Coordinates of all heavy atoms in Angstrom, one line a residue:
L55 N 41.2 28.8 -19.5 CA 39.9 28.1 -19.7 C 40.2 26.7 -20.3 O 39.6 25.7 -20.0 CB 39.0 28.9 -20.6 CG 38.4 30.2 -20.1 CD1 37.6 30.9 -21.1 CD2 37.6 29.9 -18.8
E56 N 41.2 26.6 -21.2 CA 41.6 25.3 -21.8 C 42.2 24.4 -20.8 O 41.9 23.2 -20.7 CB 42.6 25.6 -23.0 CG 42.0 26.2 -24.2 CD 43.0 26.6 -25.2 OE1 44.2 26.5 -25.0 OE2 42.5 27.1 -26.3
R57 N 43.0 25.0 -19.8 CA 43.6 24.2 -18.7 C 42.5 23.7 -17.8 O 42.5 22.5 -17.4 CB 44.6 25.0 -18.0 CG 46.0 25.1 -18.7 CD 47.1 25.5 -17.8 NE 46.9 26.7 -17.0 CZ 47.2 27.9 -17.4 NH1 47.8 28.1 -18.5 NH2 46.9 28.9 -16.6
L58 N 41.5 24.6 -17.5 CA 40.4 24.1 -16.7 C 39.6 23.0 -17.4 O 39.2 22.1 -16.7 CB 39.5 25.3 -16.4 CG 40.0 26.3 -15.4 CD1 39.0 27.5 -15.3 CD2 40.1 25.7 -14.0
D59 N 39.4 23.2 -18.6 CA 38.6 22.1 -19.4 C 39.4 20.8 -19.3 O 38.8 19.7 -19.2 CB 38.4 22.6 -20.8 CG 37.4 21.7 -21.5 OD1 36.3 21.5 -21.1 OD2 37.8 21.1 -22.6
A60 N 40.7 20.8 -19.4 CA 41.5 19.6 -19.4 C 41.4 18.9 -18.1 O 41.7 17.7 -18.0 CB 43.0 20.0 -19.8
M61 N 41.1 19.7 -17.0 CA 41.0 19.1 -15.6 C 39.6 18.4 -15.4 O 39.4 17.7 -14.4 CB 41.3 20.1 -14.6 CG 42.7 20.5 -14.5 SD 43.1 21.6 -13.1 CE 42.4 23.1 -13.6
M62 N 38.7 18.7 -16.3 CA 37.3 18.1 -16.1 C 37.3 16.6 -16.5 O 38.2 16.1 -17.2 CB 36.3 18.9 -17.0 CG 36.1 20.3 -16.7 SD 35.3 20.5 -15.1 CE 35.4 22.2 -14.9
P63 N 36.3 15.9 -16.0 CA 36.2 14.5 -16.4 C 36.1 14.4 -17.9 O 35.6 15.3 -18.6 CB 34.8 14.1 -15.7 CG 34.7 15.0 -14.5 CD 35.3 16.3 -15.0
E64 N 36.6 13.3 -18.4 CA 36.7 13.2 -19.9 C 35.4 13.4 -20.6 O 35.4 13.9 -21.7 CB 37.3 11.8 -20.2 CG 37.6 11.6 -21.6 CD 38.3 10.2 -21.9 OE1 39.1 9.8 -21.0 OE2 38.0 9.6 -22.9
N65 N 34.3 12.9 -20.0 CA 33.0 13.0 -20.7 C 32.4 14.5 -20.7 O 31.4 14.7 -21.3 CB 32.0 12.1 -20.1 CG 31.7 12.3 -18.6 OD1 32.5 12.7 -17.9 ND2 30.5 11.9 -18.2
W66 N 33.1 15.4 -20.0 CA 32.7 16.8 -20.0 C 33.5 17.7 -20.9 O 33.1 18.8 -21.2 CB 32.8 17.4 -18.6 CG 32.0 16.7 -17.5 CD1 31.2 15.6 -17.6 CD2 31.9 17.1 -16.1 NE1 30.6 15.3 -16.4 CE2 31.0 16.2 -15.5 CE3 32.4 18.2 -15.4 CZ2 30.7 16.3 -14.1 CZ3 32.1 18.3 -14.1 CH2 31.3 17.4 -13.4
R67 N 34.7 17.2 -21.2 CA 35.7 18.1 -21.9 C 35.2 18.5 -23.3 O 34.8 17.7 -24.1 CB 37.0 17.3 -22.1 CG 37.7 17.1 -20.8 CD 39.0 16.4 -21.0 NE 39.4 15.9 -19.7 CZ 40.2 14.8 -19.5 NH1 40.7 14.2 -20.6 NH2 40.5 14.4 -18.3
G68 N 35.3 19.8 -23.5 CA 34.9 20.4 -24.7 C 33.4 20.3 -25.1 O 33.0 20.6 -26.2
Q69 N 32.6 20.0 -24.1 CA 31.2 19.8 -24.4 C 30.2 21.0 -24.1 O 29.1 20.9 -24.5 CB 30.7 18.6 -23.6 CG 31.4 17.3 -23.9 CD 31.1 16.9 -25.3 OE1 30.0 17.0 -25.9 NE2 32.2 16.4 -26.0
H70 N 30.7 22.0 -23.4 CA 29.9 23.2 -23.1 C 28.6 22.8 -22.4 O 27.5 23.2 -22.8 CB 29.6 24.0 -24.3 CG 30.9 24.4 -25.1 ND1 31.8 25.3 -24.6 CD2 31.4 23.9 -26.2 CE1 32.8 25.4 -25.4 NE2 32.6 24.6 -26.4
L71 N 28.7 21.9 -21.4 CA 27.5 21.5 -20.6 C 27.1 22.5 -19.6 O 28.0 23.3 -19.1 CB 27.8 20.1 -20.0 CG 28.1 19.0 -20.9 CD1 28.8 17.9 -20.2 CD2 26.9 18.5 -21.6
D72 N 25.9 22.5 -19.2 CA 25.4 23.4 -18.2 C 25.7 22.9 -16.8 O 25.0 22.0 -16.2 CB 23.9 23.7 -18.3 CG 23.4 24.7 -17.4 OD1 24.0 25.0 -16.4 OD2 22.3 25.3 -17.7
Y73 N 26.8 23.3 -16.2 CA 27.3 22.8 -14.9 C 26.4 23.0 -13.8 O 26.2 22.2 -12.9 CB 28.7 23.3 -14.6 CG 29.8 22.9 -15.6 CD1 30.6 23.8 -16.2 CD2 29.9 21.6 -15.9 CE1 31.6 23.4 -17.1 CE2 30.9 21.2 -16.8 CZ 31.7 22.1 -17.4 OH 32.7 21.7 -18.3
R74 N 25.7 24.1 -13.8 CA 24.7 24.4 -12.7 C 23.6 23.3 -12.7 O 23.3 22.8 -11.6 CB 24.1 25.8 -12.9 CG 23.4 26.3 -11.7 CD 22.9 27.7 -11.9 NE 23.7 28.5 -12.8 CZ 23.3 29.5 -13.5 NH1 22.1 30.0 -13.4 NH2 24.1 30.1 -14.4
D75 N 23.1 23.0 -13.8 CA 22.0 22.0 -13.9 C 22.6 20.6 -13.6 O 22.0 19.7 -13.0 CB 21.4 21.9 -15.2 CG 20.4 23.1 -15.4 OD1 20.0 23.7 -14.4 OD2 20.0 23.4 -16.6
M76 N 23.9 20.4 -14.0 CA 24.6 19.1 -13.7 C 24.7 18.9 -12.2 O 24.5 17.8 -11.7 CB 25.9 19.0 -14.4 CG 25.7 18.9 -15.9 SD 27.3 19.0 -16.8 CE 28.3 17.7 -16.2
V77 N 25.1 20.0 -11.5 CA 25.3 19.9 -10.0 C 23.9 19.5 -9.4 O 23.9 18.7 -8.5 CB 25.8 21.2 -9.5 CG1 25.7 21.2 -8.0 CG2 27.3 21.4 -9.9
R78 N 22.9 20.1 -9.9 CA 21.5 19.8 -9.3 C 21.2 18.3 -9.5 O 20.8 17.7 -8.6 CB 20.5 20.7 -10.0 CG 19.1 20.5 -9.5 CD 18.0 21.3 -10.2 NE 18.2 21.3 -11.7 CZ 17.7 20.4 -12.5 NH1 17.1 19.3 -12.0 NH2 17.8 20.4 -13.8

Side-chain angles (χ1 to χ4, degrees):
L55 294 174
E56 289 170 359
R57 284 196 307 267
L58 285 173
D59 190 56
M61 290 189 282
M62 294 293 174
E64 189 175 321
N65 59 333
W66 299 5
R67 292 181 197 154
Q69 298 297 318
H70 306 287
L71 297 164
D72 187 335
Y73 295 128
R74 192 174 336 156
D75 287 342
M76 290 171 60
V77 167
R78 182 180 46 81

